[in-house]
Amino acid sequence: MIFHSIRWRVQAWHGLILVLVLAAFGFTAYHVARDNQLRRIDQDLGQRFMALFRPPPPLERHFERAPGPPPESEPQPSSERPHVLRRFDFDAFLARIQETIQQNAQQTAGIESGQTNAYYYVLWGQNGSVLARSPATPAGVVFPERFSSAKDAASQAAEDSGPWGMRHKGPVPPAAWTRGQYREAFSFLPGGECVLVGRSIAPDLAAMHRLAFWLIIAGAGVLVLGLAGGWWVASRAIRPIEDISATAMKIAAGDLSQRINAADTESELGRLAGILNSTFGRLEAAFAHQARFTSDASHELRTPVAVILSKTQTVLSRQRAPGEYREALETCQRAAQRMRSLTESLLALARLDAGQEPLKREKFDLSRVARDSVELVRPLAVERGIELHCDLPAVECVGDPDRIGQVATNLLTNAIQFNRERGEVRVRAKAENGAASLIVTDSGQGIPAEDLPHIFERFYRVDKSRSRVQGSTGLGLAICKAVADAHGGVIEVSSQPGSGSTFRLILPEFCSFPL
């Protein structure tokens, strides 16, 4: 279960990366320090090695020139001085190396006898026999014959130098190796002899071990601190997710008023918390709207049902005259018609919300549709003494003319019903900014400011008692908004109490749904 936690996964990856980085750093630091130390030791060995190669001055041989002309093969001397031929006395050179080794041994015997890093020297002959060695030479020093390439290079140099060694420039550059606790440098001479210089590196290895130990200690400390810091950072990073989860669980349990406490709104989780809070707010509003809608629908349906039941029970309680039966049936008919109107409106809203209401997609004249709606409600306006003023130039748009006509009829009906006696209603249509607009303005009492945000909600009534007496279901404006939304348009309202209201239906000139 613990391995399914995001915190533990983040901590595991963080720890793995930290271990790899620390291991790579420690390994690199140790080997760099070790290589630098060995390079310094090799330089020191090289200096002591080259101190051995101080050959004596070359020998001079004097030749007396015989009387008479010199032979053609003999070069003419450049002066009357006897000709001098110089050659390299290699035997004297070996003897000097042996003497140097013995002198260095005598000089360092008293000083370095108690030290673990005393230098030692060994000289082997061509056959691998020891010609000279320091007293401090440890056991196990072997002739480096397995380095045949160095020996072959020395032999080739001896052959190229000739019998007098005129072209030989010196020994082959020394090679170095580590043998246990000793570091040794050796080189083959042109004659096949081998010279080795070495010393103990036990103190250096101990220092390297101490360095490795402290690198491990420091790495472990950094790892512990890194893991602790990573756990703290991961906990702080995961805490908003835990808050979100706890809030979601409370909301799932039915407490829709819960919200996430988003302190840092600029971070990714803060923005997520803000989006979720907005979603939870809409969810709460939707649940409240659904509950209110269900309650209002039940109330609206209960009234006609109660009327039908009351009338039928009254009529059936005893024998009635034919006129009473007819009156009761007419009352039941009116109640049934109200129920049918309500259920049809509810069905239309449900289908519009679900996108299942088939809408026509044709080009039509918005003014003609508005004019038909005006003629449809004119008897109602005449009955109440309302004057209708129309300003309807031709305005083309694309959509369902029947549904748009239903919207226009609902707006005009409301404008007449909630108008004052002898008032007026103005209807205008115009095209501007690529959109077609239908504007209905009345001269009624207006809508209070606190009711404006809810005017398009289902079953919402500004004057509850008056609307229900007039037979209104409270779904007309909700249907208008649903039809406008289905066409990709909007419907707006503006009102000043005592000055009337203005409803504006705005449709794209070519509606957003495909033709």
Side-chain angles (χ1 to χ4, degrees):
M1 181 65 181
I2 192 174
F3 298 104
H4 295 287
S5 171
I6 296 179
R7 179 188 292 115
W8 279 102
R9 290 182 182 179
V10 171
Q11 184 71 355
W13 280 108
H14 173 258
L16 177 61
I17 294 173
L18 191 59
V19 167
L20 293 178
V21 171
L22 290 174
F25 173 78
F27 182 82
T28 303
Y30 176 80
H31 278 272
V32 168
R34 182 177 180 274
D35 292 343
N36 290 335
Q37 184 66 17
L38 290 179
R39 189 177 299 110
R40 287 192 293 268
I41 294 173
D42 291 342
Q43 290 175 355
D44 191 12
L45 291 176
Q47 292 175 358
R48 291 182 177 265
F49 184 90
M50 298 308 295
L52 298 175
F53 293 93
R54 295 174 183 172
L59 300 178
E60 295 184 356
R61 309 178 96 184
H62 299 271
F63 298 89
E64 297 293 337
R65 184 164 59 86
E72 296 179 0
S73 61
E74 183 178 347
Q76 295 294 329
S78 60
S79 66
E80 295 299 326
R81 292 184 304 170
H83 178 70
V84 178
L85 178 64
R86 299 175 182 271
R87 72 178 181 85
F88 188 81
D89 193 341
F90 192 73
D91 293 335
F93 179 55
L94 290 179
R96 185 172 179 81
I97 293 178
Q98 294 177 3
E99 181 183 356
T100 304
I101 291 176
Q102 293 174 359
Q103 290 177 356
N104 289 333
Q106 293 173 0
Q107 293 174 359
T108 59
I111 299 175
E112 298 179 347
S113 59
Q115 298 179 359
T116 58
N117 60 344
Y119 291 89
Y120 56 89
Y121 308 87
V122 182
L123 174 63
W124 287 279
Q126 295 180 0
N127 57 358
S129 60
V130 178
L131 301 180
R133 64 185 299 166
S134 301
T137 302
V141 178
V142 296
F143 180 66
E145 58 183 356
R146 65 189 182 92
F147 289 86
S148 58
S149 60
K151 187 174 181 180
D152 294 342
S155 300
Q156 185 65 37
E159 295 176 0
D160 294 341
S161 65
W164 300 105
M166 297 295 293
R167 290 173 293 180
H168 182 60
K169 302 300 182 183
V172 176
W177 65 6
T178 300
R179 185 178 58 83
Q181 294 185 349
Y182 299 94
R183 185 71 175 176
E184 299 170 344
F186 62 91
S187 178
F188 287 91
L189 302 180
E193 296 80 3
C194 181
V195 181
L196 180 143
V197 181
R199 78 171 177 87
S200 173
I201 57 172
D204 304 279
L205 293 178
M208 288 293 100
H209 292 162
R210 287 193 299 272
L211 175 63
F213 173 76
W214 286 112
L215 283 175
I216 292 174
I217 293 299
V222 172
L223 179 61
V224 171
L225 292 177
L227 290 177
W231 180 263
W232 181 76
V233 172
S235 298
R236 286 183 60 86
I238 296 299
R239 189 177 303 161
I241 298 179
E242 294 178 344
D243 294 341
I244 291 173
S245 178
T247 303
M249 291 180 63
K250 293 178 181 178
I251 291 176
D255 187 2
L256 299 179
S257 63
Q258 292 291 327
R259 295 295 181 269
I260 302 169
N261 183 17
D264 185 9
T265 58
E266 298 300 325
S267 65
E268 292 83 353
L269 290 177
R271 291 194 294 270
L272 175 61
I275 294 172
L276 289 177
N277 282 337
S278 176
T279 302
F280 293 153
R282 290 195 299 270
L283 182 64
E284 182 182 17
F287 270 91
H289 177 75
Q290 182 181 12
R292 186 170 61 250
F293 176 80
T294 303
S295 175
D296 291 341
S298 300
H299 182 75
E300 293 293 336
L301 289 173
R302 184 178 59 184
T303 300
V305 170
V307 171
I308 293 175
L309 290 176
S310 175
K311 279 295 183 182
T312 54
Q313 290 175 359
T314 301
V315 171
L316 294 176
S317 62
R318 59 183 180 83
Q319 285 290 89
R320 302 285 180 176
E324 293 178 333
Y325 284 117
R326 182 177 181 85
E327 180 183 356
L329 290 176
E330 289 176 351
T331 303
C332 292
Q333 183 184 27
R334 287 193 299 271
Q337 288 175 347
R338 178 176 174 80
M339 290 177 60
R340 184 179 65 179
S341 175
L342 180 61
T343 54
E344 287 178 351
S345 298
L346 291 174
L347 180 61
L349 282 173
R351 297 178 68 176
L352 285 170
D353 290 341
Q356 299 177 351
E357 181 70 14
L359 296 176
K360 298 178 183 178
R361 297 168 178 83
E362 60 184 42
K363 184 181 293 187
F364 66 94
D365 184 2
L366 180 61
S367 297
R368 181 185 59 81
V369 172
R371 194 174 293 109
D372 293 341
S373 299
V374 168
E375 296 302 324
L376 182 64
V377 300
R378 188 176 294 277
L380 180 61
V382 171
E383 180 181 349
R384 298 201 56 200
I386 305 296
E387 295 185 7
L388 297 175
H389 302 280
C390 298
D391 181 11
L392 300 172
V395 176
E396 287 190 348
C397 63
V398 175
D400 189 335
D402 295 334
R403 286 297 184 182
I404 298 301
Q406 182 181 6
V407 172
T409 302
N410 287 342
L411 294 178
L412 289 169
T413 302
N414 286 343
I416 293 172
Q417 287 182 348
F418 299 102
N419 209 327
R420 58 181 174 81
E421 294 293 334
R422 305 298 176 183
E424 62 180 19
V425 174
R426 296 185 178 276
V427 185
R428 292 180 296 157
K430 63 179 181 177
E432 57 181 357
N433 299 325
S437 300
L438 179 64
I439 305 168
V440 178
T441 304
D442 64 65
S443 58
Q445 297 300 317
I447 303 172
E450 62 272 15
D451 292 323
L452 281 177
H454 309 286
I455 197 68
F456 294 105
E457 294 180 4
R458 296 164 191 186
F459 295 112
Y460 188 85
R461 299 182 180 87
V462 177
D463 187 353
K464 278 75 176 177
S465 59
R466 181 180 179 186
S467 298
R468 193 165 282 117
V469 169
Q470 293 177 346
S472 174
T473 62
L475 295 175
L477 291 179
I479 292 177
C480 292
K481 185 177 185 306
V483 172
D485 293 341
H487 282 77
V490 294
I491 186 168
E492 301 172 344
V493 59
S494 59
S495 180
Q496 290 292 334
S499 301
S501 305
T502 299
F503 287 84
R504 182 188 299 269
L505 173 66
I506 304 174
L507 297 173
E509 193 169 359
F510 297 98
C511 293
S512 58
F513 52 79
L515 293 173

